[in-house]
Amino acid sequence: MANENLNYEFCDKLICDFEKVIKKPITKKSSVYYTGIDLGTACIVLAVLDENYKPVAGAYRYADVVKDGMVVDYIGAINIVKELKQEIEEKLDTELIYGAVAIPPGTDVLDGGAVKNVIQAAGFELTNVLDEPNAANNVLKIKDGAVVDIGGGTTGISILKNGKVVYIADEPTGGTHFSLVISGAYNMAFSEAELYKRDPKNNKELLIVLKPVVEKISSIINEHIKGHDIESISLVGGTACLSGIEKIIEKQTGIITHKPQNPMFVTPLGIAMGCTQKIL
Ligand SMILES: Nc1ncnc2c1ncn2[C@@H]1O[C@H](COP(=O)(O)OP(=O)(O)OP(=O)(O)O)[C@@H](O)[C@H]1O
Ligand SMILES: [Mg+2]
């Protein structure tokens, strides 16, 4: 790719390594472990890096404990983080001490520290609270352009200029809406529609049914990038996994749109990259 701004080499390698260690953790001892905890609306992801910030383990679980960035099931969230933590600790034969989290743009005041409390109650020493766009860009390393995080509950739009986030917004349309549309169109239960959607085999056929929702997301993007000079859009978040979604967005926005190999793990890894040994 001629555009150095859209070089996903670092990101793709990191994610590829992460996908491998989710299946087979690296048990060679590290002097310290850094954990990024992504408490999402649809999915909770733990990403563990070693002393050199290289992936060594990871685990994730689909859960309904957070809605649009707010913790709605506090005890449920703590239990899942505890379980995932323990699962990895057993595999690595170590204790995970340091953790970092991220909160979506704009939820800082509303959240009232719930996300932080979940992490601490699950047994982590909290070392950093990042905002999601900066976490994602720890991995994408984009200088100029828009990062669009299409998660489960929301779509987050951030605009970067010279490597700094200059604009952020979060709108309540995401993968959950995709599943609702599938559920209606195919007469399936929501949970069935969720699983059907995540199966890559079904992506092509689903894109036709889902086109209007993707167009809605595209118009949300257009709304927010209006007036900014955007040369490229990078998609992250689990919903960006849908194959072909980038083409519809590119057509509707008129801006070159790319995504890394597995967009779902960009933010969790970026949170882990922001983890330190300095307890807050
Ligand atoms: N292969 C796939 N195709 C389509 N959608 C997918 C795929 N894999 C995961 N998803 C969807 O991605 C969403 C989860 O993504 P992600 O983990 O980024 O969201 P989240 O962080 O939990 O949500 P939010 O950021 O809105 O709080 C779910 O809606 C899930 O159905
Ligand atoms: Mg998310």
Side-chain angles (χ1 to χ4, degrees):
M1 170 84 39
N3 186 350
E4 85 168 290
N5 197 27
L6 277 176
N7 184 346
Y8 289 137
E9 216 175 300
F10 172 78
C11 174
D12 282 340
K13 165 95 174 63
L14 191 73
I15 291 175
C16 178
D17 290 346
F18 183 58
E19 287 182 310
K20 280 187 203 148
V21 300
I22 289 177
K23 292 197 188 96
K24 194 172 182 296
I26 295 175
T27 51
K28 184 173 165 272
K29 283 277 167 288
S30 169
S31 63
V32 59
Y33 291 94
Y34 300 108
T35 306
I37 303 110
D38 189 355
L39 282 182
T41 302
C43 198
I44 295 182
V45 187
L46 258 66
V48 182
L49 309 179
D50 69 4
E51 58 203 2
N52 300 315
Y53 286 89
K54 299 269 182 278
V56 288
Y60 61 95
R61 172 103 38 95
Y62 279 87
D64 288 319
V65 291
V66 174
K67 285 266 172 301
D68 303 346
M70 308 293 159
V71 178
V72 290
D73 176 1
Y74 186 68
I75 304 297
I78 294 169
N79 285 338
I80 293 172
V81 176
K82 262 190 190 163
E83 280 166 30
L84 294 175
K85 179 176 185 279
Q86 199 183 343
E87 189 184 308
I88 297 176
E89 286 176 338
E90 276 165 16
K91 286 181 182 159
L92 295 181
D93 189 24
T94 190
E95 191 195 347
L96 299 176
I97 299 167
Y98 305 107
V101 286
I103 47 174
T107 53
D108 204 3
V109 184
L110 295 167
D111 173 63
V115 168
K116 300 175 208 168
N117 295 343
V118 167
I119 291 340
Q120 289 166 325
F124 282 103
E125 297 287 2
L126 185 66
T127 67
N128 200 356
V129 180
L130 294 93
D131 65 77
E132 287 184 345
N134 278 304
N137 210 37
N138 277 345
V139 174
L140 293 172
K141 300 188 181 296
I142 288 166
K143 277 216 168 113
D144 293 285
V147 176
V148 177
D149 177 351
I150 318 176
T154 64
T155 294
I157 297 119
S158 39
I159 298 176
L160 291 123
K161 289 262 177 276
N162 261 323
K164 295 255 173 309
V165 178
V166 295
Y167 177 87
I168 43 174
D170 212 33
E171 294 273 1
T173 302
T176 304
H177 304 83
F178 286 50
S179 301
L180 285 171
V181 169
I182 296 166
S183 162
Y186 286 69
N187 200 14
M188 281 177 184
F190 177 83
S191 53
E192 202 187 334
E194 243 314 299
L195 294 177
Y196 192 79
K197 178 185 74 175
R198 280 188 239 141
D199 185 343
K201 275 204 305 285
N202 303 327
N203 273 198
K204 204 170 165 201
E205 139 204 341
L206 283 177
L207 211 57
I208 303 161
V209 181
L210 294 173
K211 199 164 173 240
V213 205
V214 181
E215 286 173 350
K216 161 98 194 296
I217 288 180
S218 307
S219 68
I220 289 173
I221 300 171
N222 276 332
E223 221 17 67
H224 286 284
I225 61 176
K226 222 169 23 195
H228 294 269
D229 184 20
I230 306 290
E231 54 184 89
S232 67
I233 295 172
S234 297
L235 301 181
V236 303
T239 299
C241 291
L242 199 74
S243 49
I245 190 173
E246 68 281 9
K247 296 206 181 66
I248 303 179
I249 294 176
E250 183 169 272
K251 189 154 177 249
Q252 298 282 319
T253 57
I255 296 168
I256 182 159
T257 303
H258 284 272
K259 63 182 185 190
Q261 261 170 30
N262 188 341
M264 183 151 159
F265 293 138
V266 171
T267 304
L269 282 165
I271 300 171
M273 307 252 314
C275 184
T276 72
Q277 297 182 54
K278 268 208 201 113
I279 299 165
L280 289 182

